[in-house]
Amino acid sequence: LKDTHTNRWQRKMSATLKPVLYGYFRSSCSWRVRIAFALKGIAYDQVPVNLIKDGGQQLTEQYKTLNPMQQVPAVSIDGITLSQSLAIIQYLEETRPGPHLLPADPQKRAQVRMICDHIAAGIQPLQNLYVLQKIGNEKAEWAQHFISRGFEALENILKQTAGKYCVSDEVK
């Protein structure tokens, strides 16, 4: 019983602290989270994780305890640590008031999520440092082929959904 009370107290106390973003300044995934924090007006602290220095600080055992995938970003918030930029952004949208990041209309929200998944799962991983290091000598041609293919598909999607933004003319 005491442990439960202590855990609730710790979660309540951590909810009053600023979120901590563990990221790399050139990481597009980290940028997604920084943009979401900015749009929602959320103050946060940053801990840099250099993906190149010392063979990659994300590969340390210390960082692995924070994020088992050993990728950036990770965010400590409300007593939990989240990884994967879209999951972090969705959590911010669901738990923080203020400007909405997604349209109110469910069909438009689904289109936004589709576009986000297309980028996060279909284009962006192909230019990741870790992935490119595993490819070998033809990595530039290989990455360019698949990234170009992904952007061509994205352009076709955006022709159907775009307004002022990628989907429609409003985000709330």
Side-chain angles (χ1 to χ4, degrees):
L1 190 62
K2 184 178 180 185
D3 287 342
T4 304
H5 176 72
T6 302
N7 289 339
R8 269 189 268 143
W9 181 82
Q10 287 173 334
R11 283 193 304 271
K12 185 177 180 181
M13 289 307 295
S14 64
T16 62
L17 302 174
K18 285 196 288 186
V20 178
L21 170 63
Y22 300 84
Y24 185 55
F25 74 102
R26 287 178 24 192
S27 161
S28 59
C29 299
S30 296
W31 269 107
R32 286 183 204 125
V33 175
R34 285 194 292 272
I35 291 167
F37 278 140
L39 289 172
K40 290 196 96 38
I42 300 170
Y44 63 98
D45 290 324
Q46 291 190 75
V47 174
V49 179
N50 193 310
L51 303 183
I52 299 170
K53 185 178 179 182
D54 302 325
Q57 294 173 339
Q58 78 282 11
L59 302 176
T60 64
E61 285 301 314
Q62 180 183 4
Y63 190 75
K64 188 176 183 179
T65 62
L66 185 72
N67 183 352
M69 281 296 290
Q70 297 178 290
Q71 298 173 334
V72 294
V75 170
S76 293
I77 186 170
D78 300 340
I80 61 171
T81 300
L82 299 170
S83 61
Q84 301 301 325
S85 61
L86 296 183
I88 295 165
I89 292 167
Q90 187 167 345
Y91 181 80
L92 296 176
E93 178 72 355
E94 292 173 355
T95 63
R96 298 304 190 270
H100 291 287
L101 304 175
L102 295 170
D105 178 82
Q107 290 181 346
K108 291 178 182 175
R109 273 197 318 271
Q111 289 175 322
V112 169
R113 289 184 177 123
M114 173 184 68
I115 291 167
C116 290
D117 284 344
H118 186 86
I119 294 166
I123 296 173
Q124 190 272 328
L126 302 170
Q127 57 87 36
N128 262 352
L129 180 62
Y130 181 77
V131 172
L132 291 176
Q133 287 172 339
K134 299 294 182 188
I135 301 293
N137 293 335
E138 297 178 9
K139 63 185 169 193
E141 296 85 15
W142 182 86
Q144 184 176 3
H145 168 78
F146 287 104
I147 292 169
S148 294
R149 184 173 178 255
F151 275 120
E152 287 172 12
L154 181 61
E155 286 177 1
N156 286 327
I157 292 168
L158 295 176
K159 286 177 186 175
Q160 300 170 25
T161 63
K164 181 177 178 183
Y165 302 103
C166 289
V167 175
S168 192
D169 292 322
E170 58 183 284
V171 290
K172 51 183 174 173

